[in-house]
Short mmCIF file of all heavy atoms in Angstrom, two decimals:
data_model
loop_
_atom_site.label_atom_id
_atom_site.label_comp_id
_atom_site.label_asym_id
_atom_site.label_seq_id
_atom_site.Cartn_x
_atom_site.Cartn_y
_atom_site.Cartn_z
N MET A 1 1.17 19.53 -19.19
CA MET A 1 0.74 18.87 -17.97
C MET A 1 1.09 17.38 -18.08
O MET A 1 0.87 16.78 -19.09
CB MET A 1 -0.76 19.02 -17.80
CG MET A 1 -1.24 18.35 -16.58
SD MET A 1 -2.71 19.13 -15.99
CE MET A 1 -4.01 18.21 -16.13
N VAL A 2 1.70 16.85 -17.04
CA VAL A 2 2.11 15.45 -17.04
C VAL A 2 1.11 14.64 -16.25
O VAL A 2 0.73 14.96 -15.14
CB VAL A 2 3.49 15.36 -16.40
CG1 VAL A 2 3.89 13.86 -16.35
CG2 VAL A 2 4.50 16.14 -17.13
N LYS A 3 0.64 13.57 -16.89
CA LYS A 3 -0.30 12.63 -16.22
C LYS A 3 0.49 11.64 -15.41
O LYS A 3 1.46 11.11 -15.85
CB LYS A 3 -1.15 11.90 -17.27
CG LYS A 3 -2.06 12.80 -18.04
CD LYS A 3 -3.31 12.98 -17.29
CE LYS A 3 -4.33 13.74 -18.17
NZ LYS A 3 -5.61 13.78 -17.55
N ASN A 4 0.09 11.42 -14.20
CA ASN A 4 0.82 10.53 -13.26
C ASN A 4 0.00 9.30 -12.91
O ASN A 4 0.24 8.67 -11.88
CB ASN A 4 1.13 11.29 -11.96
CG ASN A 4 2.13 12.40 -12.20
OD1 ASN A 4 3.03 12.25 -13.02
ND2 ASN A 4 1.94 13.51 -11.55
N ASP A 5 -1.03 8.91 -13.74
CA ASP A 5 -1.88 7.86 -13.40
C ASP A 5 -1.11 6.51 -13.22
O ASP A 5 -1.31 5.76 -12.26
CB ASP A 5 -2.94 7.63 -14.44
CG ASP A 5 -3.91 8.80 -14.47
OD1 ASP A 5 -4.03 9.55 -13.45
OD2 ASP A 5 -4.59 9.03 -15.51
N ARG A 6 -0.19 6.20 -14.13
CA ARG A 6 0.60 4.98 -14.03
C ARG A 6 1.47 4.98 -12.78
O ARG A 6 1.54 3.98 -12.06
CB ARG A 6 1.46 4.81 -15.26
CG ARG A 6 0.64 4.40 -16.49
CD ARG A 6 1.58 4.13 -17.67
NE ARG A 6 0.81 4.01 -18.85
CZ ARG A 6 0.94 3.02 -19.68
NH1 ARG A 6 1.89 2.11 -19.51
NH2 ARG A 6 0.17 2.90 -20.76
N ARG A 7 2.13 6.09 -12.54
CA ARG A 7 2.97 6.16 -11.35
C ARG A 7 2.14 6.07 -10.06
O ARG A 7 2.55 5.39 -9.15
CB ARG A 7 3.79 7.51 -11.38
CG ARG A 7 4.82 7.57 -10.36
CD ARG A 7 5.62 8.87 -10.33
NE ARG A 7 5.84 9.42 -11.65
CZ ARG A 7 6.04 10.71 -11.89
NH1 ARG A 7 6.10 11.54 -10.90
NH2 ARG A 7 6.22 11.13 -13.14
N ASP A 8 1.03 6.77 -10.06
CA ASP A 8 0.16 6.70 -8.87
C ASP A 8 -0.37 5.31 -8.67
O ASP A 8 -0.38 4.80 -7.52
CB ASP A 8 -1.04 7.65 -9.05
CG ASP A 8 -0.61 9.10 -8.97
OD1 ASP A 8 0.51 9.40 -8.47
OD2 ASP A 8 -1.39 10.00 -9.43
N ALA A 9 -0.76 4.63 -9.70
CA ALA A 9 -1.28 3.26 -9.62
C ALA A 9 -0.19 2.33 -9.08
O ALA A 9 -0.44 1.44 -8.27
CB ALA A 9 -1.79 2.76 -10.97
N LYS A 10 1.02 2.52 -9.57
CA LYS A 10 2.16 1.68 -9.12
C LYS A 10 2.41 1.93 -7.63
O LYS A 10 2.62 0.98 -6.84
CB LYS A 10 3.41 1.99 -9.95
CG LYS A 10 4.53 1.10 -9.62
CD LYS A 10 5.73 1.36 -10.48
CE LYS A 10 6.93 0.46 -10.08
NZ LYS A 10 8.11 0.71 -10.86
N ASN A 11 2.43 3.21 -7.18
CA ASN A 11 2.60 3.53 -5.77
C ASN A 11 1.56 2.96 -4.90
O ASN A 11 1.83 2.39 -3.83
CB ASN A 11 2.72 5.03 -5.61
CG ASN A 11 4.03 5.60 -6.07
OD1 ASN A 11 5.04 4.89 -6.12
ND2 ASN A 11 4.06 6.85 -6.39
N ILE A 12 0.28 3.02 -5.35
CA ILE A 12 -0.81 2.49 -4.58
C ILE A 12 -0.69 0.96 -4.45
O ILE A 12 -0.83 0.37 -3.37
CB ILE A 12 -2.15 2.85 -5.21
CG1 ILE A 12 -2.42 4.35 -5.01
CG2 ILE A 12 -3.31 2.02 -4.61
CD1 ILE A 12 -3.63 4.88 -5.79
N ALA A 13 -0.37 0.33 -5.61
CA ALA A 13 -0.21 -1.16 -5.56
C ALA A 13 0.94 -1.57 -4.64
O ALA A 13 0.85 -2.54 -3.90
CB ALA A 13 0.06 -1.65 -6.99
N THR A 14 2.06 -0.84 -4.69
CA THR A 14 3.23 -1.15 -3.81
C THR A 14 2.83 -0.99 -2.35
O THR A 14 3.18 -1.84 -1.50
CB THR A 14 4.41 -0.21 -4.18
OG1 THR A 14 4.70 -0.38 -5.57
CG2 THR A 14 5.60 -0.56 -3.34
N ASN A 15 2.16 0.12 -2.02
CA ASN A 15 1.80 0.35 -0.64
C ASN A 15 0.77 -0.71 -0.14
O ASN A 15 0.87 -1.11 1.02
CB ASN A 15 1.21 1.76 -0.46
CG ASN A 15 2.29 2.79 -0.54
OD1 ASN A 15 3.39 2.58 -0.07
ND2 ASN A 15 1.98 3.95 -1.12
N LEU A 16 -0.14 -1.09 -0.97
CA LEU A 16 -1.10 -2.12 -0.60
C LEU A 16 -0.38 -3.47 -0.38
O LEU A 16 -0.68 -4.19 0.59
CB LEU A 16 -2.20 -2.26 -1.64
CG LEU A 16 -3.22 -1.15 -1.68
CD1 LEU A 16 -4.15 -1.33 -2.92
CD2 LEU A 16 -4.09 -1.17 -0.41
N ALA A 17 0.56 -3.82 -1.25
CA ALA A 17 1.31 -5.03 -1.12
C ALA A 17 2.17 -5.06 0.15
O ALA A 17 2.29 -6.08 0.77
CB ALA A 17 2.19 -5.24 -2.36
N ASN A 18 2.73 -3.90 0.51
CA ASN A 18 3.59 -3.84 1.68
C ASN A 18 2.81 -3.62 2.98
O ASN A 18 3.39 -3.72 4.06
CB ASN A 18 4.63 -2.69 1.50
CG ASN A 18 5.60 -2.98 0.41
OD1 ASN A 18 5.88 -4.12 0.07
ND2 ASN A 18 6.15 -1.89 -0.18
N GLY A 19 1.54 -3.29 2.85
CA GLY A 19 0.74 -2.99 4.01
C GLY A 19 1.09 -1.72 4.72
O GLY A 19 1.02 -1.60 5.96
N THR A 20 1.58 -0.75 3.98
CA THR A 20 2.03 0.54 4.59
C THR A 20 0.92 1.56 4.79
O THR A 20 1.13 2.60 5.38
CB THR A 20 3.13 1.16 3.76
OG1 THR A 20 2.73 1.31 2.44
CG2 THR A 20 4.40 0.30 3.77
N TYR A 21 -0.26 1.30 4.22
CA TYR A 21 -1.37 2.20 4.44
C TYR A 21 -1.96 1.98 5.80
O TYR A 21 -2.03 0.90 6.33
CB TYR A 21 -2.48 2.01 3.34
CG TYR A 21 -2.22 2.65 2.05
CD1 TYR A 21 -2.43 1.98 0.86
CD2 TYR A 21 -1.72 3.91 1.98
CE1 TYR A 21 -2.21 2.55 -0.40
CE2 TYR A 21 -1.48 4.55 0.75
CZ TYR A 21 -1.72 3.84 -0.39
OH TYR A 21 -1.50 4.46 -1.61
N LYS A 22 -2.39 3.09 6.41
CA LYS A 22 -3.01 3.00 7.76
C LYS A 22 -4.57 2.96 7.53
O LYS A 22 -5.05 3.51 6.56
CB LYS A 22 -2.68 4.21 8.62
CG LYS A 22 -1.22 4.33 8.97
CD LYS A 22 -0.98 5.50 9.82
CE LYS A 22 0.51 5.59 10.19
NZ LYS A 22 0.82 6.77 11.01
N SER A 23 -5.21 2.34 8.49
CA SER A 23 -6.67 2.27 8.41
C SER A 23 -7.26 3.67 8.70
O SER A 23 -6.66 4.51 9.37
CB SER A 23 -7.23 1.26 9.36
OG SER A 23 -6.94 1.65 10.69
N VAL A 24 -8.47 3.91 8.17
CA VAL A 24 -9.15 5.18 8.35
C VAL A 24 -10.33 4.95 9.19
O VAL A 24 -11.12 4.02 9.02
CB VAL A 24 -9.58 5.76 6.96
CG1 VAL A 24 -10.33 6.98 7.12
CG2 VAL A 24 -8.38 5.97 6.09
N TYR A 25 -10.52 5.83 10.20
CA TYR A 25 -11.69 5.74 11.08
C TYR A 25 -12.84 6.52 10.47
O TYR A 25 -12.76 7.71 10.14
CB TYR A 25 -11.36 6.36 12.44
CG TYR A 25 -12.53 6.33 13.39
CD1 TYR A 25 -12.96 5.15 13.97
CD2 TYR A 25 -13.23 7.50 13.64
CE1 TYR A 25 -14.06 5.13 14.81
CE2 TYR A 25 -14.32 7.49 14.48
CZ TYR A 25 -14.75 6.30 15.07
OH TYR A 25 -15.80 6.29 15.90
N VAL A 26 -13.95 5.78 10.27
CA VAL A 26 -15.15 6.41 9.74
C VAL A 26 -16.12 6.61 10.94
O VAL A 26 -16.49 5.64 11.57
CB VAL A 26 -15.82 5.51 8.68
CG1 VAL A 26 -17.10 6.17 8.17
CG2 VAL A 26 -14.83 5.25 7.55
N PRO A 27 -16.40 7.89 11.28
CA PRO A 27 -17.23 8.12 12.43
C PRO A 27 -18.64 7.59 12.29
O PRO A 27 -19.21 7.58 11.18
CB PRO A 27 -17.25 9.68 12.55
CG PRO A 27 -16.76 10.20 11.26
CD PRO A 27 -16.03 9.10 10.59
N THR A 28 -19.18 7.12 13.35
CA THR A 28 -20.56 6.63 13.38
C THR A 28 -21.50 7.84 13.48
O THR A 28 -21.07 8.97 13.71
CB THR A 28 -20.81 5.69 14.61
OG1 THR A 28 -20.64 6.45 15.80
CG2 THR A 28 -19.84 4.53 14.59
N ASP A 29 -22.80 7.56 13.33
CA ASP A 29 -23.78 8.66 13.45
C ASP A 29 -23.71 9.26 14.81
O ASP A 29 -23.87 10.49 15.00
CB ASP A 29 -25.18 8.08 13.17
CG ASP A 29 -25.38 7.71 11.71
OD1 ASP A 29 -24.61 8.26 10.84
OD2 ASP A 29 -26.31 6.92 11.40
N GLU A 30 -23.54 8.43 15.88
CA GLU A 30 -23.45 8.97 17.25
C GLU A 30 -22.26 9.89 17.41
O GLU A 30 -22.41 10.91 18.02
CB GLU A 30 -23.34 7.79 18.23
CG GLU A 30 -23.36 8.25 19.65
CD GLU A 30 -23.29 7.13 20.63
OE1 GLU A 30 -23.21 5.94 20.22
OE2 GLU A 30 -23.29 7.37 21.84
N ASP A 31 -21.14 9.52 16.83
CA ASP A 31 -19.96 10.38 16.85
C ASP A 31 -20.21 11.73 16.23
O ASP A 31 -19.80 12.78 16.75
CB ASP A 31 -18.77 9.68 16.15
CG ASP A 31 -18.25 8.51 16.89
OD1 ASP A 31 -18.47 8.39 18.11
OD2 ASP A 31 -17.60 7.65 16.21
N VAL A 32 -20.90 11.71 15.08
CA VAL A 32 -21.21 12.99 14.38
C VAL A 32 -22.16 13.84 15.24
O VAL A 32 -21.99 15.06 15.34
CB VAL A 32 -21.81 12.67 13.01
CG1 VAL A 32 -22.28 13.91 12.34
CG2 VAL A 32 -20.82 11.92 12.13
N GLU A 33 -23.15 13.19 15.85
CA GLU A 33 -24.10 13.92 16.71
C GLU A 33 -23.37 14.59 17.90
O GLU A 33 -23.67 15.73 18.22
CB GLU A 33 -25.22 13.01 17.18
CG GLU A 33 -26.16 12.60 16.07
CD GLU A 33 -27.15 11.55 16.54
OE1 GLU A 33 -27.16 11.19 17.75
OE2 GLU A 33 -27.94 11.08 15.70
N ILE A 34 -22.47 13.84 18.47
CA ILE A 34 -21.73 14.42 19.65
C ILE A 34 -20.88 15.60 19.22
O ILE A 34 -20.84 16.61 19.87
CB ILE A 34 -20.89 13.30 20.29
CG1 ILE A 34 -21.80 12.28 21.00
CG2 ILE A 34 -19.87 13.93 21.31
CD1 ILE A 34 -21.05 11.06 21.47
N LYS A 35 -20.23 15.45 18.04
CA LYS A 35 -19.39 16.52 17.49
C LYS A 35 -20.23 17.79 17.23
O LYS A 35 -19.85 18.91 17.54
CB LYS A 35 -18.74 16.03 16.24
CG LYS A 35 -17.63 16.87 15.74
CD LYS A 35 -16.94 16.14 14.58
CE LYS A 35 -15.78 16.87 14.11
NZ LYS A 35 -15.06 16.17 12.98
N GLU A 36 -21.44 17.57 16.63
CA GLU A 36 -22.29 18.72 16.35
C GLU A 36 -22.77 19.38 17.64
O GLU A 36 -22.91 20.58 17.73
CB GLU A 36 -23.50 18.27 15.50
CG GLU A 36 -23.12 17.90 14.10
CD GLU A 36 -24.28 17.34 13.31
OE1 GLU A 36 -25.41 17.16 13.90
OE2 GLU A 36 -24.09 17.08 12.10
N TYR A 37 -23.06 18.56 18.67
CA TYR A 37 -23.50 19.08 19.97
C TYR A 37 -22.43 19.94 20.58
O TYR A 37 -22.68 21.04 21.08
CB TYR A 37 -23.91 17.94 20.90
CG TYR A 37 -24.28 18.40 22.26
CD1 TYR A 37 -25.51 18.96 22.49
CD2 TYR A 37 -23.42 18.29 23.34
CE1 TYR A 37 -25.93 19.43 23.74
CE2 TYR A 37 -23.78 18.73 24.60
CZ TYR A 37 -25.01 19.28 24.78
OH TYR A 37 -25.39 19.75 26.04
N ILE A 38 -21.16 19.47 20.52
CA ILE A 38 -20.06 20.21 21.09
C ILE A 38 -19.88 21.53 20.36
O ILE A 38 -19.66 22.57 20.98
CB ILE A 38 -18.76 19.35 21.06
CG1 ILE A 38 -18.91 18.21 22.10
CG2 ILE A 38 -17.55 20.19 21.38
CD1 ILE A 38 -17.82 17.20 21.98
N ARG A 39 -19.99 21.48 19.00
CA ARG A 39 -19.88 22.74 18.26
C ARG A 39 -20.98 23.71 18.62
O ARG A 39 -20.79 24.96 18.70
CB ARG A 39 -19.92 22.45 16.76
CG ARG A 39 -18.65 21.86 16.20
CD ARG A 39 -18.75 21.63 14.74
NE ARG A 39 -17.55 21.02 14.20
CZ ARG A 39 -17.46 20.34 13.09
NH1 ARG A 39 -18.55 20.11 12.36
NH2 ARG A 39 -16.32 19.84 12.69
N MET A 40 -22.22 23.20 18.76
CA MET A 40 -23.37 24.02 19.09
C MET A 40 -23.13 24.69 20.46
O MET A 40 -23.40 25.87 20.61
CB MET A 40 -24.60 23.20 19.14
CG MET A 40 -25.86 24.01 19.51
SD MET A 40 -27.27 23.01 20.01
CE MET A 40 -26.67 22.30 21.50
N MET A 41 -22.67 23.93 21.43
CA MET A 41 -22.40 24.51 22.78
C MET A 41 -21.32 25.58 22.70
O MET A 41 -21.44 26.63 23.33
CB MET A 41 -21.99 23.41 23.75
CG MET A 41 -23.12 22.46 24.11
SD MET A 41 -24.54 23.32 24.86
CE MET A 41 -23.82 23.95 26.32
N HIS A 42 -20.25 25.36 21.89
CA HIS A 42 -19.22 26.31 21.74
C HIS A 42 -19.80 27.62 21.12
O HIS A 42 -19.52 28.73 21.61
CB HIS A 42 -18.13 25.73 20.85
CG HIS A 42 -16.97 26.73 20.61
ND1 HIS A 42 -16.10 27.13 21.58
CD2 HIS A 42 -16.62 27.37 19.47
CE1 HIS A 42 -15.26 27.98 21.05
NE2 HIS A 42 -15.55 28.16 19.79
N ASP A 43 -20.58 27.51 20.07
CA ASP A 43 -21.18 28.66 19.40
C ASP A 43 -22.12 29.40 20.41
O ASP A 43 -22.20 30.64 20.41
CB ASP A 43 -21.97 28.20 18.20
CG ASP A 43 -21.08 27.70 17.08
OD1 ASP A 43 -19.85 27.98 17.14
OD2 ASP A 43 -21.59 27.02 16.16
N PHE A 44 -22.86 28.62 21.16
CA PHE A 44 -23.76 29.20 22.13
C PHE A 44 -22.97 30.03 23.17
O PHE A 44 -23.41 31.17 23.49
CB PHE A 44 -24.57 28.13 22.86
CG PHE A 44 -25.49 28.64 23.93
CD1 PHE A 44 -26.66 29.26 23.58
CD2 PHE A 44 -25.18 28.49 25.25
CE1 PHE A 44 -27.49 29.77 24.56
CE2 PHE A 44 -26.00 28.96 26.28
CZ PHE A 44 -27.18 29.60 25.91
N LYS A 45 -21.88 29.55 23.66
CA LYS A 45 -21.05 30.29 24.63
C LYS A 45 -20.53 31.58 24.04
O LYS A 45 -20.50 32.62 24.68
CB LYS A 45 -19.92 29.42 25.15
CG LYS A 45 -20.36 28.28 26.06
CD LYS A 45 -19.20 27.44 26.49
CE LYS A 45 -19.69 26.31 27.35
NZ LYS A 45 -18.56 25.43 27.76
N ILE A 46 -20.09 31.49 22.78
CA ILE A 46 -19.59 32.74 22.08
C ILE A 46 -20.73 33.75 21.96
O ILE A 46 -20.52 34.95 22.25
CB ILE A 46 -19.03 32.38 20.73
CG1 ILE A 46 -17.71 31.60 20.93
CG2 ILE A 46 -18.75 33.63 19.88
CD1 ILE A 46 -17.17 31.02 19.67
N GLU A 47 -21.89 33.31 21.55
CA GLU A 47 -23.02 34.22 21.42
C GLU A 47 -23.44 34.83 22.76
O GLU A 47 -23.82 35.97 22.87
CB GLU A 47 -24.24 33.49 20.77
CG GLU A 47 -24.03 33.19 19.30
CD GLU A 47 -23.85 34.47 18.45
OE1 GLU A 47 -24.55 35.49 18.68
OE2 GLU A 47 -22.98 34.43 17.57
N LEU A 48 -23.38 34.02 23.80
CA LEU A 48 -23.75 34.46 25.15
C LEU A 48 -22.81 35.57 25.59
O LEU A 48 -23.19 36.62 26.16
CB LEU A 48 -23.71 33.34 26.14
CG LEU A 48 -24.17 33.62 27.57
CD1 LEU A 48 -25.58 34.09 27.63
CD2 LEU A 48 -23.94 32.43 28.43
N LYS A 49 -21.49 35.40 25.29
CA LYS A 49 -20.50 36.49 25.62
C LYS A 49 -20.79 37.71 24.89
O LYS A 49 -20.73 38.85 25.44
CB LYS A 49 -19.14 36.01 25.32
CG LYS A 49 -18.59 34.95 26.27
CD LYS A 49 -17.17 34.50 25.90
CE LYS A 49 -16.66 33.42 26.80
NZ LYS A 49 -15.31 32.98 26.40
N LYS A 50 -21.20 37.61 23.60
CA LYS A 50 -21.51 38.85 22.80
C LYS A 50 -22.71 39.53 23.37
O LYS A 50 -22.73 40.77 23.48
CB LYS A 50 -21.80 38.40 21.35
CG LYS A 50 -20.59 37.99 20.58
CD LYS A 50 -20.98 37.60 19.15
CE LYS A 50 -19.80 37.14 18.35
NZ LYS A 50 -20.16 36.68 17.02
N VAL A 51 -23.72 38.81 23.81
CA VAL A 51 -24.97 39.39 24.35
C VAL A 51 -24.59 40.07 25.67
O VAL A 51 -25.11 41.17 25.97
CB VAL A 51 -26.04 38.33 24.54
CG1 VAL A 51 -27.19 38.84 25.34
CG2 VAL A 51 -26.54 37.86 23.18
N LYS A 52 -23.78 39.44 26.47
CA LYS A 52 -23.43 40.07 27.75
C LYS A 52 -22.67 41.39 27.59
O LYS A 52 -22.85 42.26 28.39
CB LYS A 52 -22.65 39.07 28.60
CG LYS A 52 -23.44 37.99 29.23
CD LYS A 52 -22.57 37.08 30.04
CE LYS A 52 -23.41 36.02 30.77
NZ LYS A 52 -22.56 35.15 31.63
N ARG A 53 -21.89 41.44 26.55
CA ARG A 53 -21.13 42.70 26.31
C ARG A 53 -21.97 43.81 25.83
O ARG A 53 -21.73 44.98 26.11
CB ARG A 53 -20.08 42.40 25.22
CG ARG A 53 -18.83 41.75 25.76
CD ARG A 53 -17.73 41.75 24.72
NE ARG A 53 -17.24 40.38 24.63
CZ ARG A 53 -17.00 39.70 23.55
NH1 ARG A 53 -17.18 40.25 22.42
NH2 ARG A 53 -16.55 38.48 23.60
N THR A 54 -23.09 43.51 25.11
CA THR A 54 -23.92 44.56 24.61
C THR A 54 -24.91 45.13 25.62
O THR A 54 -25.37 46.27 25.48
CB THR A 54 -24.73 44.10 23.40
OG1 THR A 54 -25.54 42.96 23.78
CG2 THR A 54 -23.80 43.71 22.26
N TYR A 55 -25.17 44.38 26.66
CA TYR A 55 -26.15 44.85 27.69
C TYR A 55 -25.50 45.27 28.92
O TYR A 55 -24.68 44.91 29.51
CB TYR A 55 -27.23 43.80 27.97
CG TYR A 55 -28.15 43.58 26.83
CD1 TYR A 55 -28.12 42.46 26.06
CD2 TYR A 55 -29.10 44.58 26.51
CE1 TYR A 55 -28.99 42.26 25.04
CE2 TYR A 55 -29.97 44.40 25.48
CZ TYR A 55 -29.93 43.24 24.74
OH TYR A 55 -30.76 43.03 23.67
#
């Protein structure tokens, strides 16, 4: 197994110096709550379809 720590560190330093890294968006608590709500509604619709098929 080949360790790439030096090469990785050099690549990171080069990218930081050149400014080639893009910023990362960290979601706020409100964003997470909205995402969970949308997932819950999607799951609810799927369950509703299942219930309608059985009755």
Side-chain angles (χ1 to χ4, degrees):
M1 181 154 112
V2 178
K3 295 276 187 171
N4 294 322
D5 293 339
R6 287 182 189 230
R7 189 180 325 155
D8 291 343
K10 185 177 179 183
N11 285 336
I12 290 171
T14 303
N15 287 324
L16 286 172
N18 294 333
T20 55
Y21 279 136
K22 294 181 181 178
S23 62
V24 176
Y25 177 75
V26 179
T28 63
D29 290 337
E30 184 180 0
D31 292 336
V32 173
E33 290 174 2
I34 291 170
K35 194 173 184 179
E36 289 175 358
Y37 177 77
I38 291 171
R39 284 181 180 159
M40 179 197 65
M41 290 301 296
H42 178 70
D43 293 343
F44 178 75
K45 287 178 184 179
I46 291 173
E47 289 298 318
L48 184 62
K49 287 179 183 179
K50 289 180 183 177
V51 168
K52 284 183 177 180
R53 278 190 230 135
T54 58
Y55 290 108

